Amino acid sequence: MLKKIVKLLFEPKLLVQKVIDKITFNFSKIGYSESKYLKEQIDLFNELGLDYLESANQLSDIYETYPDLKDPMSSCHHNLFAALSRKYKFEKILEIGTHNATGTALLSKLFPESKITTLDLPDNHPLFLSTYSRNNDNGLSFIRNRDKRLSNLSKIKFKQINSLSLTFFEENFDLIWVDGAHGYPVVTSDIINSIRMVKKGGFVLCDDVFKNVKKNDGMYRSIASYETIKSLSTANLINYYLVYKRVIKPYAAPKLRKYIAVLQK
């Protein structure tokens, strides 16, 4: 915490942005209608031929049995996974960005017959250590918990590699979840490699898609995903759909809104 405070004091622009973000967050709560955005989300899922409410019921059952898999921020990529599992059987799934492996575990519950490959940077990679405060004792605990969760899963292949290495992958997958670095050049490479590797009729899902941000960075906030997706669509290489990342208050408000992209070629 002290390091963060010192960093903000020596980088006034960061402090100003923090203040602006806080003000935007609080103003977005005013008049927020969760029921309105939930209805819109249900309609967005319907456009994909998926049932949001059925997915929510399915997830409730899973969370009751495996409470550690519940997303405290209620990200709707869990709903997408669940809704797809009710309609499709996937032989092979690729996850780009293992993080703490809760997403991997959820995929294994929803698609018990699928072979799942999950990728993340090596534990000693500087970028891995510098994100999510993993360059201290928290990092050791994070790795232990992740590895324990992975060890309890079957049909999981965990690879510690840079996702740029996918350039040389020759495997094909039915479902690919893109949740690594969100900025240039990595996310563009991840999306293009995923489109190349996904089977015809399969799905590529991309997390944390921003349509507009005033300041882009390489890891968290960037319009790189959206620009890459739009370029591929304009070239008639893919079809894409956007659903809300979250509908809980106040995250679907226009100023805070992020999306999950669903791509097919």
Side-chain angles (χ1 to χ4, degrees):
M1 178 60 72
L2 181 59
K3 287 183 179 179
K4 289 182 179 180
I5 294 173
V6 171
K7 185 176 182 181
L8 289 173
L9 290 174
F10 280 92
E11 296 188 52
K13 288 183 179 179
L14 289 178
L15 183 57
V16 171
Q17 189 59 53
K18 284 281 186 183
V19 172
I20 292 173
D21 288 346
K22 190 66 175 178
I23 292 171
T24 301
F25 182 84
N26 287 325
F27 266 96
S28 295
K29 291 181 179 180
I30 300 172
Y32 188 91
S33 174
E34 192 167 317
S35 61
K36 170 192 170 184
Y37 291 117
L38 176 59
K39 183 181 182 304
E40 290 179 3
Q41 183 78 311
I42 290 169
D43 291 340
L44 291 171
F45 269 62
N46 285 340
E47 288 180 23
L48 288 163
L50 302 175
D51 193 313
Y52 181 90
L53 294 178
E54 283 188 358
S55 75
N57 291 333
Q58 185 177 6
L59 288 173
S60 292
D61 292 339
I62 292 175
Y63 295 154
E64 187 174 348
T65 307
Y66 305 99
D68 64 315
L69 300 187
K70 185 174 183 178
D71 186 341
M73 288 293 287
S74 300
S75 173
C76 291
H77 73 277
H78 282 205
N79 296 84
L80 273 174
F81 292 164
L84 288 169
S85 75
R86 299 181 66 85
K87 192 170 180 179
Y88 300 96
K89 301 294 183 184
F90 296 140
E91 179 187 358
K92 294 173 67 178
I93 297 173
L94 174 64
E95 178 184 45
I96 301 173
T98 309
H99 190 52
N100 60 9
T102 55
T104 320
L106 178 63
L107 285 169
S108 73
K109 305 304 178 190
L110 293 168
F111 301 95
E113 302 304 316
S114 299
K115 297 176 182 177
I116 300 173
T117 300
T118 182
L119 312 179
D120 215 326
L121 291 168
D123 294 343
N124 61 354
H125 192 285
L127 192 55
F128 179 89
L129 293 172
S130 65
T131 51
Y132 300 105
S133 302
R134 290 183 290 215
N135 54 355
N136 50 35
D137 289 342
N138 291 334
L140 296 175
S141 176
F142 175 93
I143 291 168
R144 282 196 299 268
N145 291 334
R146 178 203 64 195
D147 290 349
K148 181 180 179 181
R149 185 170 283 119
L150 288 170
S151 69
N152 292 325
L153 304 177
S154 61
K155 296 187 178 181
I156 303 293
K157 184 187 296 182
F158 177 42
K159 290 179 175 287
Q160 291 189 280
I161 60 172
N162 191 313
S163 65
L164 296 175
S165 301
L166 292 171
T167 302
F168 304 105
F169 265 42
E170 296 181 358
E171 287 188 72
N172 295 115
F173 300 89
D174 304 283
L175 173 66
I176 302 178
W177 171 235
V178 180
D179 190 19
H182 297 317
Y184 290 114
V186 176
V187 76
T188 297
S189 175
D190 287 347
I191 291 171
I192 290 174
N193 280 326
S194 295
I195 293 298
R196 176 179 58 81
M197 293 186 297
V198 74
K199 296 177 183 176
K200 189 69 175 177
F203 295 87
V204 175
L205 310 181
C206 303
D207 197 22
D208 291 328
V209 177
F210 290 89
K211 282 189 175 182
N212 296 289
V213 288
K214 290 185 178 179
K215 183 179 180 182
N216 291 266
D217 64 66
M219 280 300 299
Y220 304 111
R221 298 168 61 89
S222 175
I223 59 171
S225 293
Y226 187 58
E227 289 188 335
T228 302
I229 291 164
K230 283 198 69 178
S231 294
L232 290 168
S233 176
T234 300
N236 295 317
L237 298 174
I238 62 166
N239 295 314
Y240 78 94
Y241 306 86
L242 298 176
V243 303
Y244 296 153
K245 164 84 172 181
R246 296 186 177 94
V247 295
I248 58 172
K249 186 177 182 177
Y251 293 99
K255 292 287 187 181
L256 298 177
R257 186 179 299 165
K258 292 191 286 187
Y259 298 88
I260 301 167
V262 181
L263 319 179
Q264 286 190 294
K265 64 181 179 183

